Amino acid sequence: MEIAERRALGPAARVVANPALPGTEVLALMADLDGYDPSAAADGLAEIYDRWVVGLQDDGDDAVAFLAGLAERITPGGGRPRLLELGVGSGRIALPLARAGFAVTGVDASEPMLDLLRAKPGADAVAIVAGDFTEPAVDGPFDVVFATYNTLFSLLAQDRQVRCARNAAERLRPGGALVVQAFVPDQARFDRGARAGRRRELTRRGADVLGMGVVGHDRVAQLLDVDYELVEGGAARGYHFQFRYAWPSELDLMARLAGLDLEDRRGGWRGEPFTAASGAHVSVYRKPPVT
């Protein structure tokens, strides 16, 4: 797909000078995000989510083990830990946690995603709440609040991400933990992807292929414009998403503004060291205990 074709994606796309490579151009996003609805984007993806997207996330068992271990460690008095998932989707993490005996609440704005969750065995053990996880309509306190798989980046403004962290902190008991899993931004790679205009293959089943391509990148607003395409049974379907990424240091500041302290950061759910070469992180923020 050439830049001229990518410009036809909508009013949010425009070609600008590439600050990483003088003399070249890159597709960027306009600051105006009118016309893009994250909930509607998730609604559309629900039709292929369990069949295709969940398979790309091969860290589910590790995430469940990490969150379960953390909840058991920090829950006082040996009580039943309460966990809140922001962006529960179809229950990839919430369901196994509930099966393990934890009290799990999941919030999501996409009804089609929640319908997938409700149809699964054991879903009645999860308290399912439809709504915006920026300001979840749930009562605490929780021992652990968590957002996995870049979910926080689906909030397309820094202010919304800050409010999400603050509202999560308000629902934590003293000593509770907020856990965030996210990729580490690589602006040069995003620029290369937008400039190349090609999708890379994520997974294949015979002749059926799911691919992804970066079609826009705004360095200033930290916005990433991504297209997924599924070719299945000879027919192609497209899914368009936008993300507002943040560096770990920015997430740390959001947490501090919410009254949380960084306790630990790892390169993955298995406790891998977080280094300058890490492409992702799992960060644990704690609410100070009552003294």
Side-chain angles (χ1 to χ4, degrees):
M1 182 184 294
E2 299 299 325
I3 283 180
E5 295 176 285
R6 284 181 267 145
R7 293 170 77 176
L9 285 170
R14 61 190 173 96
V15 175
V16 300
N18 182 1
L21 291 173
T24 66
E25 292 181 326
V26 64
L27 195 74
L29 298 175
M30 301 290 284
D32 183 2
L33 296 174
D34 289 348
Y36 176 76
D37 181 350
S39 296
D43 290 351
L45 191 66
E47 64 183 6
I48 68 165
Y49 189 76
D50 279 346
R51 291 188 297 112
W52 285 93
V53 180
V54 168
L56 303 174
Q57 306 164 48
D58 58 0
D59 59 355
D61 291 344
D62 295 329
V64 169
F66 181 99
L67 293 165
L70 173 65
E72 290 172 343
R73 175 171 62 86
I74 69 173
T75 301
R80 186 188 185 200
R82 297 188 69 206
L83 293 87
L84 170 63
E85 181 170 11
L86 306 178
V88 67
S90 66
R92 179 179 72 104
I93 305 299
L95 282 173
L97 284 171
R99 285 195 295 267
F102 296 96
V104 181
T105 298
V107 180
D108 206 291
S110 172
E111 280 291 352
M113 284 287 190
L114 292 179
D115 286 342
L116 293 176
L117 170 55
R118 294 184 183 105
K120 293 178 179 178
D124 56 349
V126 178
I128 299 172
V129 178
D132 183 359
F133 67 77
T134 306
E135 300 183 26
V138 296
D139 294 324
F142 292 92
D143 299 289
V144 176
V145 177
F146 63 96
T148 69
Y149 203 58
N150 313 311
T151 294
L152 187 64
F153 294 171
S154 67
L155 304 177
L156 298 182
Q158 185 187 64
D159 177 66
R160 293 197 69 205
Q161 293 175 353
V162 168
R163 283 192 288 123
C164 182
R166 183 180 67 242
N167 286 318
E170 289 176 354
R171 286 159 178 78
L172 286 172
R173 65 160 181 81
L178 170 65
V179 182
V180 176
Q181 179 198 27
F183 64 77
V184 177
D186 183 341
Q187 289 189 319
R189 181 167 62 87
F190 299 157
D191 283 344
R192 287 195 302 271
R195 188 172 62 251
R198 293 189 297 270
R199 293 187 182 89
R200 65 182 180 91
E201 182 177 308
L202 296 177
T203 186
R204 171 184 291 270
R205 299 174 189 168
D208 300 336
V209 180
L210 178 65
M212 182 195 76
V214 175
V215 296
H217 179 218
D218 186 330
R219 283 176 167 245
V220 175
Q222 297 170 210
L223 289 168
L224 196 60
D225 208 8
V226 176
D227 270 358
Y228 291 85
E229 183 182 68
L230 175 63
V231 178
E232 187 176 38
R237 284 171 288 174
Y239 306 89
H240 182 69
F241 291 89
Q242 293 177 351
F243 303 95
R244 194 267 174 189
Y245 59 80
W247 280 270
S249 57
E250 185 180 0
L251 295 175
D252 293 350
L253 183 56
M254 293 181 193
R256 286 178 60 191
L257 291 171
L260 305 176
D261 300 315
L262 177 66
E263 178 183 74
D264 193 19
R265 173 167 290 129
R266 297 289 172 174
W269 295 113
R270 295 184 179 181
E272 302 93 326
F274 179 76
T275 70
S278 296
H281 65 96
V282 175
S283 299
V284 178
Y285 301 96
R286 296 291 298 275
K287 188 171 185 174
V290 175
T291 55

